[in-house]
Amino acid sequence: EAGVAQSPRYKIIEKRQSVAFWCNPISGHATLYWYQQILGQGPKLLIQFQNNGVVDDSQLPKDRFSAERLKGVDSTLKIQPAKLEDSAVYLCASSLHWTANTGELFFGEGSRLTVL
Amino acid sequence: QQQVKQSPQSLIVQKGGISIINCAYENTAFDYFPWYQQFPGKGPALLIAIRPDVSEKKEGRFTISFNKSAKQFSLHIMDSQPGDSATYFCAASMAGGKLIFGQGTELSVKP
């Protein structure tokens, strides 16, 4: 079974530029998550989708971050304009289950963003 | 109240020893406590999980001990091996809620 696919793996941009990350979840997984992992910290949830609807985006900095999940499958996360503090690994995860307390989250390898 | 506090930040253990990582939480509504293992350059992967109706769960060399009254839980790795060297995250969640991760523990097992 193919895992969660993410691209690009690495991206270096200047501050105030824009960047987009793509995620393809495990086939059949209805729930998709984007997490931000700053170096030395645990992952922090940015947004959770159930099919193509948003379940939780309370910690998404909406003035610069946006995310969409068209047709309930692939998802993109965009940052515009980027700030230095956005340097992090952006992890995409998917799950069969409707809520995070009922089963395993499967993570991709992440997209590492460096903002100069 | 939504935090999960994890300690220690880093841990060095000799091969064959026991690694112990501790976590504490405040929100009594949490009802699912997984541990994730992350190797460099990889995403976290589920290692073992527990619900608060049991005090201990064991899977191979990995054991979760859960103390509901103290609102604490811990991961024990018996007979630690160099291949166990990774970062370990405890986490907590509740019905309808997000999965909240601790700050992580970087484990190094020396041969």
Side-chain angles (χ1 to χ4, degrees):
Chain A
E1 178 182 82
V4 176
Q6 291 189 246
S7 67
R9 289 294 314 277
Y10 305 93
K11 189 75 176 179
I12 300 174
I13 61 173
E14 303 263 333
K15 61 183 179 183
R16 292 187 288 273
Q17 286 187 324
S18 63
V19 63
F21 302 112
W22 172 82
C23 172
N24 179 240
I26 292 173
S27 177
H29 283 195
T31 309
L32 185 147
Y33 309 81
W34 282 102
Y35 279 83
Q36 180 191 56
Q37 186 174 22
I38 293 172
L39 186 65
Q41 298 182 19
K44 182 184 85 171
L45 181 68
L46 292 176
I47 189 167
Q48 176 183 343
F49 291 95
Q50 186 66 39
N51 294 311
N52 59 348
V54 175
V55 174
D56 185 342
D57 63 356
S58 57
Q59 296 191 91
L60 186 74
K62 298 181 186 64
D63 58 333
R64 297 182 301 104
F65 286 65
S66 65
E68 60 181 7
R69 189 182 184 196
L70 299 177
K71 300 181 182 179
V73 182
D74 292 5
S75 178
T76 57
L77 175 71
K78 296 180 182 177
I79 307 174
Q80 181 179 15
K83 291 186 175 181
L84 295 177
E85 59 261 35
D86 298 333
S87 294
V89 175
Y90 291 86
L91 294 163
C92 179
S94 69
S95 172
L96 265 176
H97 305 279
W98 282 66
T99 65
N101 72 327
T102 53
E104 181 174 0
L105 269 62
F106 294 84
F107 285 85
E109 294 190 327
S111 295
R112 181 179 296 276
L113 173 65
T114 302
V115 182
L116 302 176
Chain B
Q1 262 217 332
Q2 289 287 74
Q3 279 189 315
V4 178
K5 295 184 179 179
Q6 183 172 347
S7 63
Q9 199 170 354
S10 62
L11 182 61
I12 299 174
V13 173
Q14 292 295 317
K15 179 182 174 182
I18 302 174
S19 304
I20 302 174
I21 304 170
N22 301 298
C23 283
Y25 63 97
E26 288 295 322
N27 193 336
T28 55
F30 287 143
D31 64 356
Y32 177 65
F33 301 89
W35 285 88
Y36 278 77
Q37 179 188 55
Q38 185 176 30
F39 292 103
K42 303 293 185 182
L46 180 66
L47 189 62
I48 187 173
I50 198 169
R51 296 198 181 273
D53 53 343
V54 297
S55 59
E56 185 175 281
K57 183 174 181 180
K58 184 176 180 179
E59 289 183 3
R61 296 184 294 108
F62 301 91
T63 300
I64 301 178
S65 297
F66 190 85
N67 186 330
K68 190 174 180 178
S69 60
K71 293 186 281 187
Q72 295 175 347
F73 59 110
S74 60
L75 176 69
H76 294 234
I77 306 174
M78 311 300 288
D79 187 26
S80 299
Q81 299 297 312
D84 297 331
S85 297
T87 300
Y88 292 81
F89 294 96
C90 62
S93 184
M94 69 183 92
K98 61 175 72 77
L99 189 63
I100 297 170
F101 286 86
Q103 300 94 318
T105 296
E106 189 173 352
L107 172 65
S108 178
V109 181
K110 299 298 184 185

